[in-house]
C-alpha cells in the first residue's frame, strides 16, 4: 500500500507539471507543444532541487518503459491516411529514408570534428 | 463487428496492450533490429481491423486513453536528461552545434527532395519534424498544419532506418567517437535509434537519449519559424 501511495504522489507531481504546461501553452500561444513546456519545467524543477530525483524517478521509469505502447494507436492511424495519398507514398518513404541517412552523417561528422579539434588543442586531454 | 464494438471503450485499449505483449514475445525469440515490437503490434492490429472490418474510429475509442499518457511521458524525458547533465555540460558546444547542423541538414534534404519529387506541400510539412520523438513530432506537425498520421509514418521510418542502418553508416563515414555516434543516431532516429545505441555502448546510449531532447527542442524552435517561408 505504501508503494502505491508513493507512485500516486509521483504521478501527482508529473500531472501537476502537465497542467501548468498546458496553461502556459494556452497563455503564450506559441507554436510549441505543451509537452515540451512540461519537459523544460520538470528539468528546471530537478536542477533547482525543488523536486528531488527520487520523487519522480519511479513513475518516470514506468512511463518511459511503456513508451512504445503509447505510439501504437497513432501508428495504427497510418491505415486511415495511406490510402488517400496513393502514389505519393513511395516518394514520401524515399524522402524519409534518405533524409535520415543524411542527418546521421552530418550530425556525427560535425560532432566528431568538434571533439577532435578540441582534443588536439588541449593536447589530447579533456578539460 | 463495428456495431457490436462501437460502444466498447475497452476493445481498443485491450487490443493494444495484448498485441504489444505478443510482439515483445516475438522480439525475445528473434532478436533483430527489424523485429520492432511497436511495428509488429501496430501491423497486427491493422490486419485484425481490416480482416474483421472494424473502423479505426471504433478502435481509437478505447486506444485514445493510452495516447493520453504521451504528455506525462514526454515530461518524464527530463529525468534521463537531468541524470546526464554533467556529460551535456562537458560537451555542450559540440552537442548543440552538431545537433543544430543535423536538424538543418534534415530540413534541407526533406525540402530539396520534396521539390524534386513534386511532393504535396501538406505531406512535406508533415514529415519536417519526423526525426524527433513522436509526442514532439506530432505536436509540431499539428502546429504547422501537417497530418499527424503521415508524421508518425515518417517518425517510424526514421527510427527504423537509424536503428538498422545507423551503425553501418557511421562505420562507412569513419565516425568513431562514441559521443559523435550517439548524437548522430539520437538526432536522426529518436527513441527507436536510441534503443539500438544503448546496445552499442554506454556513452552512445547516453548521448543518444540526450539528443532526443535537444533535437526535439531545436526542431520545435526551427520548424515553425521556417514553414511560413516554404
Amino acid at each position: 500500500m505504501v508503494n502505491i501511495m508513493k507512485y500516486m504522489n509521483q504521478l501527482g507531481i508529473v500531472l501537476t507539471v502537465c497542467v501548468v504546461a498546458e496553461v502556459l501553452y494556452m497563455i503564450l500561444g506559441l507554436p510549441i507543444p505543451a509537452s515540451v513546456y512540461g519537459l523544460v519545467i520538470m528539468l528546471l524543477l530537478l536542477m533547482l532541487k525543488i523536486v528531488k530525483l527520487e520523487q519522480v524517478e519511479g513513475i518516470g521509469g514506468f512511463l518511459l518503459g511503456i513508451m512504445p505502447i503509447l505510439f501504437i494507436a497513432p501508428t495504427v492511424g497510418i491505415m486511415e491516411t495511406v490510402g488517400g495519398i496513393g502514389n505519393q507514398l513511395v516518394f514520401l518513404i524515399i524522402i524519409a529514408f534518405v533524409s535520415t541517412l543524411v542527418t546521421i552523417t552530418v550530425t556525427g561528422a560535425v560532432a566528431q570534428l568538434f571533439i577532435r579539434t578540441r582534443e588536439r588543442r588541449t593536447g589530447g586531454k579533456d578539460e | 463487428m463495428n456495431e457490436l464494438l462501437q460502444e466498447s471503450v475497452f476493445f481498443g485499449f485491450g487490443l493494444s496492450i495484448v498485441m504489444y505483449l505478443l510482439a515483445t514475445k516475438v522480439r525475445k525469440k528473434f532478436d533483430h533490429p527489424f523485429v520492432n515490437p511497436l511495428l509488429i503490434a501496430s501491423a497486427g492490429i491493422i490486419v485484425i481491423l481490416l480482416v474483421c472490418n472494424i473502423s479505426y474510429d471504433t478502435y481509437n475509442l478505447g486506444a485514445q486513453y493510452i495516447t493520453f499518457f504521451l504528455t506525462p511521458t514526454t515530461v518524464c524525458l527530463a529525468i534521463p536528461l537531468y541524470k546526464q547533465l554533467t556529460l551535456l555540460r562537458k560537451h555542450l558546444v559540440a552537442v548543440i552545434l552538431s545537433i543544430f547542423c543535423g536538424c538543418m541538414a534534415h530540413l534541407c534534404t526533406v525540402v530539396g527532395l520534396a521539390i524534386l519529387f513534386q511532393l504535396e506541400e501538406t505531406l512535406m510539412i508533415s514529415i519536417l519534424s519526423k526525426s524527433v520523438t513522436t509526442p514532439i513530432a506530432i505536436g509540431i506537425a499539428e502546429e504547422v498544419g501537417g497530418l499527424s498520421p503521415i508524421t508518425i509514418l515518417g517518425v517510424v521510418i526514421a527510427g527504423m532506418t537509424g536503428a538498422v542502418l545507423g551503425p553501418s553508416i557511421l562505420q562507412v563515414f569513419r565516425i568513431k567517437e562514441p559521443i559523435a555516434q550517439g548524437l548522430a543516431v539520437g538526432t536522426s532516429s529518436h527513441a527507436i535509434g536510441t534503443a539500438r545505441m544503448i546496445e552499442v555502448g554506454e556513452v552512445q546510449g547516453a548521448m543518444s537519449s540526450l539528443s532526443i531532447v535537444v533535437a526535439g527542442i531545436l526542431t520545435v524552435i526551427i520548424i515553425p519559424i521556417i514553414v511560413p517561408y516554404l
Side-chain angles (χ1 to χ4, degrees):
Chain A
M1 217 36 210
V2 177
N3 227 345
I4 293 172
M5 283 318 289
K6 196 184 86 185
Y7 270 78
M8 290 309 269
N9 268 329
Q10 299 201 352
L11 185 63
I13 295 173
V14 173
L15 290 181
T16 307
V17 172
C18 291
V19 173
V20 174
E22 282 186 326
V23 170
L24 260 184
Y25 169 77
M26 283 185 278
I27 292 174
L28 296 177
L30 294 171
I32 296 170
S35 53
V36 176
Y37 285 118
L39 196 163
V40 175
I41 294 170
M42 181 61 92
L43 185 64
L44 288 176
L45 290 176
L46 287 167
M47 286 170 76
L48 298 171
K49 315 269 181 217
I50 297 168
V51 170
K52 289 192 197 84
L53 195 56
E54 310 88 76
Q55 285 177 300
V56 285
E57 216 176 6
I59 195 74
F62 172 75
L63 286 174
L64 295 177
I66 62 159
M67 208 169 171
I69 301 178
L70 309 182
F71 304 142
I72 293 177
T75 308
V76 173
I78 291 172
M79 70 183 259
E80 288 276 272
T81 337
V82 164
I85 47 175
N87 56 358
Q88 296 246 303
L89 182 67
V90 183
F91 296 136
L92 200 73
I93 293 173
I94 296 173
I95 295 172
F97 178 73
V98 174
S99 60
T100 304
L101 297 183
V102 171
T103 311
I104 294 178
T105 314
V106 171
T107 313
V110 172
Q112 175 155 298
L113 189 74
F114 214 90
I115 293 164
R116 293 210 167 151
T117 313
R118 198 179 92 155
E119 273 175 2
R120 218 168 295 143
R121 226 185 288 137
T122 53
K125 271 178 283 173
D126 247 324
E127 283 173 333
Chain B
M1 258 323 230
N2 248 334
E3 294 75 35
L4 270 175
L5 294 169
Q6 237 154 27
E7 301 292 323
S8 170
V9 277
F10 293 106
F11 167 67
F13 196 124
L15 183 66
S16 306
I17 305 277
V18 170
M19 288 305 285
Y20 186 78
L21 290 176
L22 285 176
T24 48
K25 288 209 167 130
V26 174
R27 162 103 185 189
K28 263 180 200 153
K29 279 213 161 161
F30 313 96
D31 196 18
H32 186 274
F34 273 120
V35 186
N36 182 283
L38 167 61
L39 210 64
I40 297 174
S42 309
I45 292 169
I46 290 177
V47 170
I48 291 173
L49 295 183
L50 290 178
V51 169
C52 302
N53 199 19
I54 301 165
S55 74
Y56 176 71
D57 290 334
T58 304
Y59 161 77
N60 202 34
L61 200 67
Q64 63 180 339
Y65 293 104
I66 305 177
T67 319
F68 164 83
F69 282 99
L70 270 180
T71 302
T73 306
T74 312
V75 169
C76 288
L77 279 175
I79 299 168
L81 183 56
Y82 174 72
K83 285 184 184 167
Q84 290 149 20
L85 222 50
T86 21
L87 202 61
L88 172 66
R89 281 210 187 101
K90 193 170 162 191
H91 297 284
L92 191 65
V93 187
V95 168
I96 304 281
L97 199 74
S98 62
I99 294 176
F100 178 75
C101 291
C103 290
M104 292 311 284
H106 174 256
L107 198 69
C108 296
T109 319
V110 171
V111 174
L113 288 175
I115 292 169
L116 185 72
F117 292 138
Q118 296 180 317
L119 195 76
E120 248 174 68
E121 205 187 322
T122 328
L123 296 182
M124 178 188 76
I125 287 173
S126 308
I127 58 165
L128 282 179
S129 60
K130 71 147 183 35
S131 43
V132 300
T133 193
T134 311
I136 301 181
I138 294 175
I140 299 171
E142 281 171 357
E143 285 296 339
V144 296
L147 308 163
S148 46
I150 299 291
T151 308
I152 291 155
L153 180 67
V155 169
V156 172
I157 295 171
M160 298 306 290
T161 307
V164 178
L165 295 175
S168 327
I169 290 292
L170 292 170
Q171 208 172 6
V172 169
F173 289 96
R174 302 220 173 99
I175 296 157
K176 287 172 187 158
E177 290 288 339
I179 296 169
Q181 291 182 336
L183 292 173
V185 177
T187 304
S188 62
S189 312
H190 50 87
I192 303 178
T194 301
R196 177 80 182 91
M197 291 323 272
I198 288 169
E199 292 168 9
V200 174
E202 205 176 310
V203 177
Q204 283 90 335
M207 288 320 252
S208 192
S209 17
L210 187 73
S211 312
I212 296 176
V213 178
V214 179
I217 292 171
L218 281 180
T219 308
V220 161
I221 299 167
I222 296 169
I223 305 276
I225 295 174
I226 283 178
V227 165
Y229 298 100
L230 294 176

